[in-house]
Amino acid sequence: MDVTIIGTGLMARGIGSRVLAGGHDLTVVGKDAQRAEDAAGELAGGGNVRSAAAGDPLNGDVVVLAVYYPDARGAVEQYRDQLSGKVVVDITNPLNETFDGLVVPPDGSAAQELAKLAGDARVVKAFNTTFAGTLAAGEVAGQPLDVLIAGDDEEAKATVAQLARDGGLNPVDVGPLARARELEALGLLHITLQGPLGTEFGSAVKLIS
Amino acid sequence: MDVTIIGTGLMARGIGSRVLAGGHDLTVVGKDAQRAEDAAGELAGGGNVRSAAAGDPLNGDVVVLAVYYPDARGAVEQYRDQLSGKVVVDITNPLNETFDGLVVPPDGSAAQELAKLAGDARVVKAFNTTFAGTLAAGEVAGQPLDVLIAGDDEEAKATVAQLARDGGLNPVDVGPLARARELEALGLLHITLQGPLGTEFGSAVKLIS
């Protein structure tokens, strides 16, 4: 697959490393062309990666919005026409300024808000409960990360699940896009526990049985 | 400790088994005295347990509401005066009739609704992300269950954490009672995944690091 990640931060690099580990092609897009080049350079040892600047045509069939929620909204607005028909992955946890609540409607989710903005894009929620460092490592405590995936387009979800699986992760389909509400609640919970547990964004939420 | 569980179903028995495993005393209260006696009889091999009928004075300092949400509301209304000052544990997942959403206000939780009803009781949310069979077993896949605990009264939370720890479980303090919103979202997510994952209410949500 040909995957584009919008964003150059830790989550972009973490997800990018899994995309490359799975043998897929990656384009990193940054508002700042130099930062995109730096991120691509850092990932270059892992596979076929290039950088692009904001405004360049978007490559491929999968676009990951690896930026904070306000910037994800901005990216969807900027690229709306190009996103039509593509699989668009929302990874955001739409935290408020005090990091103890979410800014989206309480009966909704960032994913649903982005889907409303995104027109014909096939929005999938994923990777919002996995931290950047654990994605870069590909595992926690020797166990593959669970990647919880919500979406209304079955084929789009299967594509994201395949990307996760190819990268050594364990995809879990949690249902329709509306379930992103619960995924974002879990993301918030997981983030708020980092201080008290002292896990420094190195923990993972795992379903065991 | 002297623990009272209101309810005679699988969750009452699962939590009861952990209370007894920790060496604490247990009273099982049922609307139907015979069912309470049956539940107590089933648990009797594990420790010191007695049954009581609805309306009998409530024993001890900790009361677990191990019933469905509407019945938990009913129990709080029925016992409000007696619950004053006690640690009251809400374990509910307030599911709607189609089991795909919650009936409480979207920016709130069953725990907060019960706390409003309960006057001076010290309400703690716990055990809503752990299934009955896994509580009875005390573990999943050889790992102790995480018991996620939310509440505004630190001493009450510490009491519930101690009960969990004594029963061989791993308590995790997730913050104020408002965090019950996220715990109930996680409870809903965990329940909705049982069918798709085929785990038959035998899975557990675990934070690993």
Side-chain angles (χ1 to χ4, degrees):
Chain A
M1 278 185 248
D2 197 348
V3 178
T4 292
I5 295 182
I6 296 178
T8 60
L10 290 173
M11 280 300 288
R13 294 169 195 221
I15 295 169
S17 71
R18 289 303 103 207
V19 168
L20 294 173
H24 301 288
D25 294 336
L26 176 66
T27 304
V28 178
V29 177
K31 279 185 189 172
D32 180 328
Q34 185 60 52
R35 292 187 65 169
E37 205 178 310
D38 290 350
E42 195 182 290
L43 291 166
N48 186 15
V49 55
R50 59 185 284 275
S51 67
D56 289 356
L58 292 180
N59 275 359
D61 296 321
V62 179
V63 176
V64 181
L65 305 173
V67 291
Y68 292 113
Y69 177 57
D71 293 327
R73 292 182 63 95
V76 167
E77 283 167 351
Q78 179 181 358
Y79 290 106
R80 188 186 286 118
D81 293 345
Q82 288 194 65
L83 295 178
S84 180
K86 287 193 198 291
V87 177
V88 174
V89 184
D90 163 37
I91 72 159
T92 64
N93 284 300
L95 298 177
N96 64 13
E97 288 182 1
T98 46
F99 301 108
D100 62 352
L102 303 178
V103 298
V104 290
D107 59 350
S109 63
Q112 289 162 289
E113 295 297 303
L114 290 170
K116 279 186 228 165
L117 278 180
D120 294 330
R122 302 148 79 194
V123 174
V124 173
K125 185 89 198 182
F127 296 109
N128 78 297
T129 60
T130 51
F131 296 130
T134 67
L135 285 163
E139 61 173 33
V140 168
Q143 296 179 65
L145 297 182
D146 284 354
V147 177
L148 307 181
I149 302 173
D152 292 332
D153 183 309
E154 296 301 324
E155 195 184 72
K157 273 198 289 194
T159 298
V160 177
Q162 189 64 48
L163 272 178
R165 199 176 294 113
D166 290 346
L169 311 176
N170 180 47
V172 179
D173 181 345
V174 306
L177 197 64
R179 208 78 307 142
R181 177 175 184 268
E182 284 73 39
L183 294 187
E184 293 173 19
L186 179 55
L188 172 63
L189 188 71
H190 197 200
I191 289 167
T192 59
L193 283 172
Q194 296 309 299
L197 295 180
T199 34
E200 296 180 341
F201 294 87
S203 63
V205 178
K206 186 86 188 155
L207 282 163
I208 61 172
S209 62
Chain B
M1 278 186 247
D2 197 348
V3 177
T4 291
I5 295 182
I6 296 178
T8 60
L10 290 173
M11 280 300 288
R13 295 168 194 222
I15 295 169
S17 72
R18 289 303 104 208
V19 168
L20 294 172
H24 300 287
D25 295 336
L26 177 66
T27 303
V28 178
V29 178
K31 278 185 190 171
D32 180 327
Q34 184 60 50
R35 291 186 67 168
E37 206 177 308
D38 290 350
E42 194 182 291
L43 291 166
N48 186 15
V49 55
R50 59 184 284 275
S51 68
D56 290 355
L58 292 180
N59 275 359
D61 296 321
V62 179
V63 176
V64 181
L65 306 173
V67 290
Y68 292 113
Y69 177 59
D71 293 327
R73 292 183 65 95
V76 167
E77 283 167 351
Q78 179 181 358
Y79 290 106
R80 188 187 285 117
D81 293 345
Q82 288 194 66
L83 294 178
S84 180
K86 287 192 198 294
V87 176
V88 174
V89 183
D90 163 38
I91 72 160
T92 64
N93 284 300
L95 298 176
N96 63 13
E97 288 182 0
T98 46
F99 301 108
D100 62 353
L102 303 178
V103 298
V104 291
D107 58 350
S109 63
Q112 289 162 288
E113 294 298 304
L114 290 170
K116 280 186 227 165
L117 278 181
D120 293 331
R122 301 147 79 195
V123 174
V124 172
K125 185 90 197 181
F127 296 110
N128 78 299
T129 60
T130 51
F131 295 131
T134 66
L135 285 163
E139 61 172 34
V140 167
Q143 297 180 66
L145 296 182
D146 284 354
V147 177
L148 307 181
I149 302 173
D152 292 332
D153 183 309
E154 295 301 324
E155 195 183 71
K157 272 197 291 194
T159 298
V160 177
Q162 189 64 48
L163 272 177
R165 200 176 294 112
D166 290 346
L169 311 176
N170 179 47
V172 179
D173 181 346
V174 306
L177 196 64
R179 207 81 305 141
R181 177 176 184 267
E182 284 74 39
L183 294 188
E184 293 173 18
L186 179 55
L188 172 63
L189 188 71
H190 196 200
I191 289 168
T192 59
L193 283 172
Q194 295 309 300
L197 294 181
T199 35
E200 296 180 341
F201 293 88
S203 63
V205 179
K206 186 88 189 154
L207 283 163
I208 60 172
S209 62

